[in-house]
Amino acid sequence: MNSFVRTFACLAAVFLTSAQAPAQNWAVPAPDGPAVPAPPAYVPVDLDTPLDLEKALGTAADLFSRITEREANLDQLVLDLALDPRAAFEYVRDEIASATYAGHLRAPNAVLIAQAGNAHDKAATLAEILTRMGYDTRLMSHDGSVPVAPDKMCRPARSFDPDVLGIGGLNADVLTRISGRAITSYRALHGHLEPSASDPPARGGVGHIWLQVRSGGDWVDLDPWLTTNQWADRPAEDGAVVAQAPDAHVVEITVLSETISDGVLREQQLLRETFRVPQASEDWISLSFGPEVEGVGGILSEALGGIQGIAAPMKAVLTVNGTPRYSQVFAAPGVPSDENGLFSEGAGVVTSGLWLGVRSIVPGQPDDIAWRPIIDLLPPAVRTAHESGAPIDPAALLQPAPGERFPAKLESLRNIVISNGGISGRLEAARMVRELLTLPENLERAGSGQPDYEALLWSSWLQARRVVIGSEELMTTRPHHDGSCIHAARPRVMIWGIEPSGPDEIAQWLDWTLDSVGVTGGDATARAEQRLWHASLQSALETEALLRLTLSDPGIIPLDTGPMLPLTDAQRDAAGPEAATDQAQGFLTLADTTTPPGYWWRIQPQTGRADARARSYGNSRRLFPWGRYVNASKGGITDLGAARTARLEADLARHGPQGLMDELGRLEDIRQAERAKKNKGGGTETTIVIFNVSIPISVAVGTGVGIIVIGGLLVALY
């Protein structure tokens, strides 16, 4: 067994702390309630003090242990139910909420974690439990409408789990600030609501699915949808055996280029990949950009280092679970200053921009899509004039800011996390442990000039995922409001972006690119207020999580105030084409007196759908923590020491938490298998992946190590 695994498993037994968080009221606030109390005083983290790795490991071990005790698990549940099929039926019927979403969104484990599922996902979860008990099952369907289950859709919310929030660095003080920040935003925006009675509450849709279990020679009907359903109640006489599961939810990721040829703006699809949920909720997805590495392009790519003003051949690289998927080749954006540019699609063709599209596709429902500019060199006035028929002069393009090798905007990384409402906190806690265990090795390798780029970039994706888990937890614990309740009804997508923004400076942002939620029950006003409160909480979570992860003073981002007024001409210019798109889609675009240029809120008055927006970065705030990361990385860690390690391993032989050992061993096996697969054929694939992550090496290493160190600091302080 890996010595790190043995060492850490013992730490889980040695360090047992209890993180406490005050009870927060996450209910929809009154629009004119009492003033929000002042948030806790901000205490800066001293980055000159080395990370106490021993304490961080101990706290992380305790988080894993406590989350494991509370998080529903299929294997443990089967044992807890004493192999009793009737008890299994009653558990799924009574403890799992009946959510009204279409298609197949959650696997059984995710249903247990979310404590909610639609008719198919609940029935499939019960089938999995009974199968593990040794019973034969089959799913049945009926084309009639799904019965409405108001008693199951808006039950009192459970208390939130501070440990699940803790793995994302959201301690009690941060949660208090999230609550206060969200209340002020909600009140500033509430006056713009004009709920529409045409916004109907979510219903069960068409078609109903339940389960049959074999009992002797008969099949017995089990329908866990309604709490009034009993063992052997038959939902419909004309049910048919389900031949295949309902269509899964899908997330589609697209990269488009905009080019100018003969004064006309044209679009070209460079890359499109689809991800099926629920499987995609576990996929590590990152988007980066790099040189064309095949043939001559691969030879030239090193020579292009530092060259500016040349339309170099490039590709977008979508890395999925460590495996690259390449786009079509495109010319680096901008007008080449060298007439003999190394790459061109033809005389006079210039790349003016790149766009990222994220689409949520749900069976029988309208698509939800968002577009984000990766780089946009077209001034808003020129774009507007072109939409009216005016040709574009390439000389009107904005030249991109130079990076070390390519335009700075393309020396970036976008970590993409797909949420289905049922991500495992236990698994993420174990992954956090593995990050801390390998931190000494990562620091040593980075210091010697041989960093593990994949591990460092993977750690930034994991941190983004932990913010998503915090969002899921706050959604699950949100109480109902005037008969309405909120739930995840389709995949939600968050992007954590990292890019250089100047010498020795890097920008970070969080962007809930897709954040549609389902609201069931209540009248139109209650549903609109639920959506607005969700948007306010999401914006506050993004802001405070980003502040926490960059160790920034929360005071640098002021609270929203009233009144919220339509954007002025100057504010619209600063917002760029994104605000115009928002207005065309029926949103109000608003800002207050403290809103900086380039930021705004958008809100649909009829439905309450809203989010905070930032030009080119979606629902986000940008921060510049590069200097902090350098300090944190240089601060280093306290070494466990050989003697301490030996004693902990000896203790492990007597009483090590087996569950954590197994989890870490499984994660390590998966990682080794992935590396072995990529290294087939001489190891060139890994080289290509790393080479195509075109973030400057200093940024990639400093950011990756910094994220792990700062994550360790936050855990140690939790």
Side-chain angles (χ1 to χ4, degrees):
M1 181 185 297
N2 184 288
S3 61
F4 270 138
V5 174
R6 295 199 303 269
T7 300
F8 181 74
C10 185
L11 283 168
V14 174
F15 297 96
L16 292 176
T17 61
S18 179
Q20 300 295 325
Q24 301 287 339
N25 181 12
W26 302 110
V28 176
D32 54 357
V36 178
Y42 172 67
V43 179
V45 177
D46 184 4
L47 293 179
D48 293 328
T49 302
L51 167 64
D52 187 340
L53 180 59
E54 193 168 321
K55 183 176 181 181
L57 282 170
T59 304
D62 191 35
L63 286 172
F64 174 87
S65 180
R66 294 201 302 267
I67 293 172
T68 300
E69 290 176 359
R70 292 189 292 273
E71 186 175 288
N73 177 277
L74 280 169
D75 292 328
Q76 186 60 48
L77 181 60
V78 169
L79 297 176
D80 292 343
L81 295 173
L83 303 178
D84 182 349
R86 289 179 180 266
F89 166 68
E90 292 169 359
Y91 175 86
V92 176
R93 180 194 66 187
D94 298 337
E95 301 300 325
I96 306 298
S98 296
T100 52
Y101 56 81
H104 176 36
L105 178 63
R106 297 186 187 121
N109 264 321
V111 168
L112 296 182
I113 293 167
Q115 291 287 283
N118 67 359
H120 169 268
D121 290 355
K122 285 186 69 171
T125 299
L126 178 56
E128 180 65 23
I129 295 171
L130 293 178
T131 298
R132 294 185 182 214
M133 289 181 175
Y135 292 90
D136 292 334
T137 64
R138 65 186 186 186
L139 296 181
M140 304 293 293
S141 67
H142 173 63
D143 290 338
S145 298
V146 178
V148 177
D151 59 323
K152 296 296 298 299
M153 296 174 185
C154 290
R155 298 177 302 170
R158 64 174 175 82
S159 299
F160 69 82
D161 189 335
D163 296 327
V164 172
L165 296 170
I167 65 174
L170 306 178
N171 66 9
D173 286 353
V174 177
L175 292 173
T176 299
R177 283 194 289 270
I178 288 173
S179 177
R181 193 180 287 275
I183 290 172
T184 60
S185 298
Y186 177 85
R187 289 175 177 168
L189 293 163
H190 186 273
H192 293 279
L193 287 180
E194 297 178 0
S196 171
S198 62
D199 173 38
R203 296 295 183 187
V206 177
H208 184 49
I209 295 178
W210 68 96
L211 182 72
Q212 286 186 339
V213 60
R214 190 189 295 276
S215 178
D218 299 323
W219 288 97
V220 177
D221 292 280
L222 304 179
D223 184 5
W225 183 250
L226 301 173
T227 55
T228 54
N229 289 345
Q230 302 299 315
W231 182 275
D233 282 353
R234 176 168 292 182
E237 293 295 331
D238 58 346
V241 176
V242 175
Q244 61 183 25
D247 290 340
H249 292 220
V250 171
V251 172
E252 183 181 88
I253 295 174
T254 305
V255 177
L256 291 182
S257 69
E258 282 187 337
T259 58
I260 299 172
S261 177
D262 297 326
V264 178
L265 192 66
R266 292 185 171 89
E267 293 182 352
Q268 179 184 5
Q269 181 177 286
L270 300 176
L271 178 149
R272 184 178 67 181
E273 294 287 344
T274 57
F275 299 87
R276 293 173 63 85
V277 181
Q279 295 90 337
S281 61
E282 289 296 327
D283 284 340
W284 163 28
I285 307 170
S286 298
L287 177 66
S288 58
F289 298 87
E292 160 61 23
V293 297
E294 298 176 0
V296 176
I299 299 172
L300 290 175
S301 54
E302 283 290 352
L304 292 176
I307 294 179
Q308 301 298 331
I310 293 179
M314 299 192 69
K315 283 186 177 182
V317 186
L318 194 69
T319 305
V320 182
N321 300 322
T323 301
R325 303 178 185 181
Y326 301 112
S327 76
Q328 296 182 44
V329 180
F330 63 92
V335 179
S337 57
D338 184 342
E339 295 181 357
N340 298 315
L342 294 178
F343 179 82
S344 176
E345 296 180 5
V349 178
V350 175
T351 302
S352 59
L354 296 170
W355 294 76
L356 171 65
V358 183
R359 184 190 302 266
S360 168
I361 304 170
V362 176
Q365 303 291 325
D367 290 353
D368 189 11
I369 186 168
W371 288 97
R372 297 287 187 265
I374 297 168
I375 183 169
D376 181 12
L377 304 180
L378 207 60
V382 175
R383 185 180 292 275
T384 300
H386 182 64
E387 291 172 351
S388 300
I392 298 176
D393 181 356
L397 290 184
L398 305 169
Q399 279 295 79
E404 290 189 6
R405 298 163 63 207
F406 301 108
K409 285 281 188 180
L410 301 190
E411 293 181 340
S412 61
L413 182 75
R414 286 165 172 79
N415 292 307
I416 301 171
V417 182
I418 297 174
S419 162
N420 67 346
I423 296 177
S424 169
R426 172 187 55 80
L427 181 58
E428 299 318 304
R431 286 170 167 165
M432 178 175 64
V433 167
R434 194 179 78 179
E435 281 187 281
L436 292 173
L437 283 171
T438 57
L439 180 55
E441 176 188 356
N442 279 323
L443 282 171
E444 182 178 354
R445 294 187 63 176
S448 65
Q450 297 178 324
D452 185 339
Y453 300 100
E454 183 180 3
L456 295 175
L457 296 175
W458 183 73
S459 72
S460 65
W461 178 82
L462 284 179
Q463 188 57 68
R465 186 174 169 87
R466 288 170 197 147
V467 176
V468 171
I469 290 178
S471 172
E472 288 192 353
E473 181 68 15
L474 292 182
M475 181 183 294
T476 302
T477 59
R478 201 165 307 160
H480 64 81
H481 170 63
D482 291 346
S484 69
C485 54
I486 196 166
H487 59 93
R490 63 193 307 155
R492 300 158 65 236
V493 180
M494 194 192 81
I495 297 176
W496 179 352
I498 305 170
E499 70 180 30
S501 56
D504 294 332
E505 193 173 75
I506 186 171
Q508 281 196 57
W509 70 92
L510 298 181
D511 173 16
W512 271 105
T513 311
L514 293 182
D515 190 30
S516 294
V517 292
V519 183
T520 299
D523 59 18
T525 298
R527 293 192 294 276
E529 290 177 336
Q530 277 278 23
R531 293 190 186 95
L532 179 57
W533 178 232
H534 171 75
S536 301
L537 275 173
Q538 282 290 95
S539 177
L541 172 66
E542 291 164 357
T543 298
E544 292 294 339
L546 190 57
L547 288 164
R548 179 74 167 167
L549 295 171
T550 55
L551 302 180
S552 302
D553 186 340
I556 68 173
I557 299 181
L559 301 180
D560 289 319
T561 61
M564 283 280 183
L565 300 174
L567 298 183
T568 64
D569 290 343
Q571 288 171 326
R572 274 195 296 271
D573 290 342
E578 290 96 320
T581 300
D582 288 344
Q583 291 174 334
Q585 293 176 347
F587 288 92
L588 296 179
T589 53
L590 308 168
D592 63 23
T593 57
T594 66
T595 303
Y599 292 87
W600 69 97
W601 271 91
R602 69 174 187 175
I603 178 173
Q604 282 181 335
Q606 297 79 15
T607 66
R609 181 183 175 187
D611 57 313
R613 302 272 283 149
R615 180 175 183 177
S616 302
Y617 298 96
N619 182 7
S620 63
R621 296 283 186 177
R622 296 180 72 208
L623 289 179
F624 305 94
W626 173 242
R628 298 176 185 274
Y629 278 153
V630 171
N631 292 339
S633 300
K634 289 181 178 178
I637 60 172
T638 55
D639 199 327
L640 290 176
R644 178 61 172 157
T645 300
R647 187 170 74 79
L648 291 174
E649 290 184 354
D651 290 342
L652 170 64
R654 295 192 298 272
H655 54 271
Q658 189 62 40
L660 181 55
M661 291 164 50
D662 292 344
E663 192 72 59
L664 291 174
R666 186 173 70 85
L667 289 171
E668 189 61 30
D669 290 344
I670 291 173
R671 183 173 180 182
Q672 292 298 333
E674 289 174 349
R675 286 192 170 191
K677 181 175 67 174
K678 289 199 294 289
N679 286 335
K680 285 184 178 180
T684 56
E685 190 68 12
T686 299
T687 302
I688 291 173
V689 172
I690 293 171
F691 192 73
N692 270 272
V693 177
S694 187
I695 303 173
I697 291 175
S698 59
V699 174
V701 174
T703 302
V705 172
I707 285 171
I708 303 175
V709 172
I710 290 178
L713 284 170
L714 299 181
V715 171
L717 295 172
Y718 182 69

